[in-house]
Amino acid sequence: MADETHHSSEMPFLDHLEELRWRILKILLALMVAFVVSFWICMNSHVDVFAILVTPIKPYLHGQPLYVTGVADKFTILLQIAGGFAVVLASPVVALQIWAFLAPALTSKERRVIIPVLVAAAALFLCGVALSVFVFVPVTMSLMETIKTAAIAPLYTADEYFSFLFFISLAFGAMFELPILILALTALGLITPSLLTKYRRHAIVATLIVCEIITPGDLIISTLVLWIPVYGLYELSIVVSWFVYRARMKREAQAGTIGAEAA
């Protein structure tokens, strides 16, 4: 009887598709509205978004501006900036719609676990972006300044700088999601804390290689700026995974005991 009630309360597949369609439409609408607002802010003469985003390298421009080499480069960059801001502005609505779609399929305990994990993932991503903007970019520029020669004069273009800034920000943010990835794999039983500890030396090499690929140029110092916090997060992930692993083992033991008693 309970099974029949459970099945009757489930949403039919077509209703799921219909709900998903409306959730996606709401997300797209939120992104469109956010883009219009972001574009208006970027076009506002009282807010110079270019000057704000150039702040990390301003001391290294020596009073010179960033240059554009194409007729439409300034407008193209403006669209990219507005698009990035739109994603940030619309992210609460996007997260709410995704959560509203997935929440009915989760138990109350799973909901209590997922919410802190999502908050931690967002916080780690923002920490990675902040590190890239306020530490990595200035450190990289200062290293470039140490190369003294009268034969070469830097000509920094806006297109190259903003592409570099966006790529590095996304790369740092993605790398800072390592603890969340390890947490999920541990919860799924695909890895264990002992496995993470056993392959610690491999993790050192692997993360160093990835960080070297992500960071531009051959400057080991700029690579270390990313690698040190990323590997620190790996070590933190081992500690967190122990708690997740112990909780999973405890649940499985309890389930085994209940099954044995029922038999």
Side-chain angles (χ1 to χ4, degrees):
M1 183 67 180
D3 290 338
E4 293 177 1
T5 304
H6 175 70
H7 288 298
S8 63
S9 63
E10 288 182 346
M11 185 181 295
F13 178 72
L14 292 179
D15 289 346
H16 275 296
L17 291 180
E18 181 67 14
E19 183 187 5
L20 178 61
R21 184 174 73 89
W22 281 107
R23 298 293 180 190
I24 293 175
L25 288 175
K26 290 178 181 179
I27 289 174
L28 293 176
L29 179 61
L31 289 171
M32 291 174 58
V33 173
F35 179 80
V36 172
V37 174
S38 301
F39 186 77
W40 178 81
I41 293 175
C42 292
M43 291 294 291
N44 195 322
S45 60
H46 299 291
V47 181
D48 190 347
V49 293
F50 291 101
I52 295 173
L53 294 177
V54 170
T55 301
I57 65 167
K58 190 174 182 179
Y60 308 101
L61 294 177
H62 306 292
Q64 298 295 318
L66 291 175
Y67 297 94
V68 292
T69 57
V71 175
D73 281 358
K74 187 184 294 186
F75 184 71
T76 301
I77 295 170
L78 186 66
L79 289 178
Q80 294 173 349
I81 295 173
F85 285 161
V87 172
V88 174
L89 288 177
S91 58
V93 177
V94 175
L96 179 63
Q97 294 301 319
I98 295 175
W99 175 254
F101 181 75
L102 297 178
L106 303 175
T107 64
S108 58
K109 186 174 183 180
E110 289 172 337
R111 295 175 192 173
R112 290 195 299 269
V113 172
I114 288 178
I115 292 177
V117 170
L118 293 178
V119 172
L124 285 171
F125 186 85
L126 292 177
C127 287
V129 172
L131 179 68
S132 68
V133 173
F134 298 110
V135 178
F136 178 80
V137 172
V139 166
T140 301
M141 293 298 296
S142 65
L143 290 173
M144 296 298 101
E145 289 284 297
T146 61
I147 304 175
K148 303 294 184 180
T149 176
I152 300 176
L155 179 65
Y156 299 118
T157 64
D159 180 59
E160 290 182 349
Y161 169 69
F162 287 111
S163 297
F164 169 75
L165 184 65
F166 292 153
F167 171 77
I168 288 298
S169 298
L170 290 175
F172 271 60
M175 289 295 291
F176 269 56
E177 295 299 311
L178 179 62
I180 304 301
L181 176 61
I182 292 178
L183 182 67
L185 293 176
T186 304
L188 293 173
L190 299 177
I191 60 175
T192 62
S194 58
L195 183 67
L196 295 173
T197 304
K198 178 181 179 181
Y199 289 98
R200 179 181 277 120
R201 288 179 295 180
H202 299 77
I204 293 175
V205 176
T207 52
L208 189 59
I209 292 174
V210 173
C211 292
E212 174 64 25
I213 294 173
I214 290 176
T215 53
D218 300 320
L219 299 173
I220 188 62
I221 296 178
S222 61
T223 301
L224 291 177
V225 170
L226 175 59
W227 178 78
I228 291 174
V230 166
Y231 185 73
L233 289 173
Y234 178 84
E235 292 292 336
L236 177 63
S237 301
I238 295 177
V239 177
V240 175
S241 68
W242 274 110
F243 291 98
V244 177
Y245 180 76
R246 290 175 60 184
R248 187 168 64 84
M249 290 295 100
K250 185 177 179 180
R251 288 196 303 270
E252 292 179 357
Q254 291 176 347
T257 302
I258 293 174
E261 291 176 353

